[in-house]
């Protein structure tokens, strides 16, 4: 199989972690006889510095024409002062919209080897944490009108939150289809006690549920969901929610699994070209030190193999290699156990060593 992959290293730790994911994809290609061609794409702060634009049109076109896109992360303090439309994160929003990837799939799963890294009580962790957040990605408040003006002699900032029925329906269907492949339980999260957009969300989800009688649909308010994720995460299997709620809840969910550095994500639209990225940001506080955890990015590469290229065995080979390296007690700084006794059984490794060990442990299934 030959595939063209657009690669956005981005800012901060982006280049360090993406380089490990590329090494993993190259190992998979050589083991299984595939050819992956990588094309560099500038996006984020580095694109602002080079081109004066966080995502020049020709860079977006390279992504849209590729078979899939691998992304590290963008942003950093250096670009905090630039106007809203030119911020690094705006490049990311334009990329998602330009690729039409409306469905963001963020698994929150605790690896057995890392159960002591969760900040939750062991009794809660022992019940199991393994759920998926299906987040709407190109609608809602992040894509509504934003403006700041003057009102009665003071500044007023406005962000518009809007959803159409069809936008809710297409992500709702992904939620039901995802639940159908798992435990057939779907929790729809909104704020229908306050927001019109959430009342429409709930109405559409219940209309859709008539087409999926085998899936049990439940509703939960987002504030309650934020609490339930730490109180009893085992109750969740698939959560479907709108853009901003999904953004916030998935960061919370990632933390209870041990580290934000462990969680991958896939973003897909109607075609097979997807955007694959870890859920964390560019972590400027640790950039350039070779201490970032590359596993979320490497697992995102595994998702690319599975969801965009249909290469299930290859995806499993990567996931098994990650598991093997964790079994060996190798840990980047963020997942080192805080307990001294536990820490003595582990070995702290760098970002590049973590990548190298995972590459070494990829075996043909
Ligand atoms: P962040 O996710 O970058 O970092 C939060 C904390 O988690 C930091 O302490 C960081 O060191 C740690 N962390 C993150 N990834 C890690 C990894 N792989 N290994 C070890 N530790 C890791 O969030 P932030 O600090 O709020 O944002 C920093 C910048 O990233 C901002 O400019 C923000 O806008 C941007 N951002 C970009 C994306 C993206 O590109 N998709 C997502 C979120 C934030």
């Amino acid at each position: 199989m030959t595939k063209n992959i657009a690669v956005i290293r981005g800012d901060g730790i982006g280049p360090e972690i993406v380089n490990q994911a590329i090494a993993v994809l190259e190992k998979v290609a050589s083991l299984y006889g595939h050819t992956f061609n990588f094309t560099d794409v500038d996006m984020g702060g580095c694109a602002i510095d080079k081109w004066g634009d966080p995502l020049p049109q020709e860079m977006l076109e390279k992504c849209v024409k590729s078979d899939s896109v691998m992304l590290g992360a963008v942003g950093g303090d250096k670009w905090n002062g630039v106007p809203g439309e030119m911020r690094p994160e705006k490049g990311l929003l334009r990329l998602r919209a330009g690729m039409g990837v409306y469905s963001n799939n963020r698994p929150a799963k605790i690896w057995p080897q890392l159960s002591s890294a969760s900040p939750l009580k062991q009794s809660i962790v022992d019940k199991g944490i393994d759920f998926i957040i299906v987040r709407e990605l190109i609608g809602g408040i992040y894509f509504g009108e934003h403006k700041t003006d003057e009102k009665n002699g003071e500044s007023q900032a406005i962000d518009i939150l809007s959803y159409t029925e069809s936008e809710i329906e297409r992500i709702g269907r992904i939620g039901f289809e995802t639940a159908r492949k798992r435990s057939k339980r779907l929790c729809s999260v909104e704020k229908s006690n306050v927001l019109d957009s959430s009342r429409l969300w709930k109405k559409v989800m219940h209309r859709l549920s008539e087409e999926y009688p085998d899936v049990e649909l439940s509703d939960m308010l987002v504030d309650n969901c934020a609490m339930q994720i730490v109180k009893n995460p085992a109750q969740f299997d698939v959560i479907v929610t709108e853009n901003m709620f999904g953004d916030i809840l998935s960061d919370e969910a990632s933390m209870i699994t041990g580290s934000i550095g462990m969680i991958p994500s896939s973003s897909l639209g109607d075609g097979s070209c997807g955007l694959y990225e870890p859920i964390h940001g560019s972590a400027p506080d640790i950039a350039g030190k070779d201490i970032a955890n590359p596993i979320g990015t490497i697992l995102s590469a595994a998702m690319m193999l599975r969801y965009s290229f249909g290469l299930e065995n290859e995806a499993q080979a990567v996931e098994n290699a990650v598991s093997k390296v964790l079994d060996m007690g190798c840990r980047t700084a963020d997942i080192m156990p805080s307990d001294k006794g536990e820490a003595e059984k582990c070995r702290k490794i760098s970002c590049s060593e973590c990548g190298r060990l995972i590459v070494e442990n990829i075996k043909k299934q």
Side-chain angles (χ1 to χ4, degrees):
M1 176 183 284
T2 298
K3 293 287 178 192
N4 298 316
I5 301 172
V7 178
I8 306 172
R9 287 179 174 79
D11 309 313
I13 59 169
E16 300 163 49
I17 53 176
V18 169
N19 287 345
Q20 309 313 318
I22 289 180
V24 160
L25 288 169
E26 280 172 339
K27 174 75 180 277
V28 167
S30 76
L31 264 186
Y32 287 86
H34 304 306
T35 302
F36 297 142
N37 302 314
F38 300 101
T39 305
D40 286 331
V41 170
D42 297 324
M43 187 182 88
C46 58
I48 297 173
D49 290 350
K50 198 165 164 189
W51 308 104
D53 183 335
L55 183 64
Q57 187 60 24
E58 64 266 33
M59 295 292 162
L60 173 60
E61 278 162 21
K62 279 189 193 181
C63 293
V64 172
K65 283 186 193 143
S66 70
D67 293 309
S68 257
V69 181
M70 180 89 243
L71 165 65
V74 296
D77 295 346
K78 182 180 173 192
W79 302 281
N80 278 351
V82 301
E85 270 310 299
M86 292 303 284
R87 285 183 61 88
E89 295 78 4
K90 206 69 189 179
L92 180 56
L93 296 185
R94 271 166 35 202
L95 176 69
R96 290 169 176 167
M99 291 179 68
V101 287
Y102 58 82
S103 169
N104 183 219
N105 178 332
R106 296 182 159 200
K109 177 183 161 191
I110 193 152
W111 292 74
Q113 301 93 328
L114 298 185
S115 67
S116 64
S118 172
L120 296 183
K121 277 194 226 152
Q122 200 58 41
S123 58
I124 297 176
V125 175
D126 287 346
K127 287 190 204 155
I129 302 174
D130 183 5
F131 60 96
I132 288 182
I133 297 181
V134 176
R135 166 190 170 199
E136 200 291 322
L137 199 60
I138 56 175
I141 200 161
Y142 292 177
F143 285 86
E145 188 190 348
H146 309 285
K147 65 175 180 184
T148 304
D149 52 22
E150 291 289 311
K151 189 179 179 190
N152 301 331
E154 60 177 343
S155 292
Q156 179 192 43
I158 300 172
D159 300 289
I160 305 282
L161 163 53
S162 99
Y163 270 109
T164 62
E165 262 187 280
S166 56
E167 284 174 325
I168 300 169
E169 180 169 333
R170 65 183 182 180
I171 189 72
R173 286 192 185 283
I174 303 284
F176 278 105
E177 296 291 343
T178 308
R180 210 168 230 180
K181 291 185 202 127
R182 292 175 52 108
S183 73
K184 301 189 167 56
R185 286 182 295 120
L186 177 64
C187 180
S188 164
V189 172
E190 27 70 3
K191 187 71 183 165
S192 56
N193 54 343
V194 178
L195 301 175
D196 264 26
S197 57
S198 280
R199 282 189 277 275
L200 181 61
W201 180 280
K202 189 170 175 181
K203 190 172 141 196
V204 172
M205 291 303 297
H206 280 265
R207 171 167 62 70
L208 277 181
S209 79
E210 290 168 18
E211 293 178 42
Y212 297 86
D214 52 324
V215 177
E216 183 193 326
L217 175 68
S218 59
D219 306 296
M220 193 175 279
L221 296 175
V222 63
D223 37 357
N224 184 25
C225 184
M227 182 184 80
Q228 295 295 335
I229 283 178
V230 289
K231 189 174 170 219
N232 179 18
Q235 71 185 284
F236 295 111
D237 190 56
V238 181
I239 289 174
V240 62
T241 192
E242 62 101 88
N243 200 343
M244 184 167 69
F245 297 162
D247 192 9
I248 297 168
L249 292 177
S250 58
D251 265 31
E252 183 192 12
S254 71
M255 201 52 231
I256 64 168
T257 67
S259 168
I260 196 167
M262 291 294 297
I263 310 289
S265 82
S266 66
S267 303
L268 285 155
D270 290 326
S272 63
C273 177
L275 171 63
Y276 295 85
E277 55 178 317
I279 75 159
H280 57 75
S282 59
D285 53 334
I286 56 168
K289 297 182 178 163
D290 196 23
I291 58 171
N293 185 343
I295 293 181
T297 317
I298 288 170
L299 293 173
S300 302
M303 288 178 107
M304 176 189 287
L305 294 169
R306 175 176 291 123
Y307 296 127
S308 282
F309 304 160
L311 299 174
E312 178 60 34
N313 286 345
E314 287 84 338
Q316 271 179 28
V318 174
E319 289 160 355
N320 290 346
V322 169
S323 191
K324 181 77 201 306
V325 170
L326 295 176
D327 282 343
M328 287 156 54
C330 299
R331 305 277 188 272
T332 46
D334 57 309
I335 50 173
M336 273 300 279
S338 50
D339 177 79
K340 198 164 170 253
E342 287 290 314
E344 276 167 6
K345 296 182 210 150
C346 295
R347 186 166 72 84
K348 199 196 268 189
I349 55 171
S350 65
C351 175
S352 48
E353 187 175 7
C354 183
R356 184 175 55 72
L357 287 171
I358 291 169
V359 167
E360 273 172 24
N361 281 283
I362 298 175
K363 307 279 181 250
K364 203 164 179 180
Q365 299 294 295

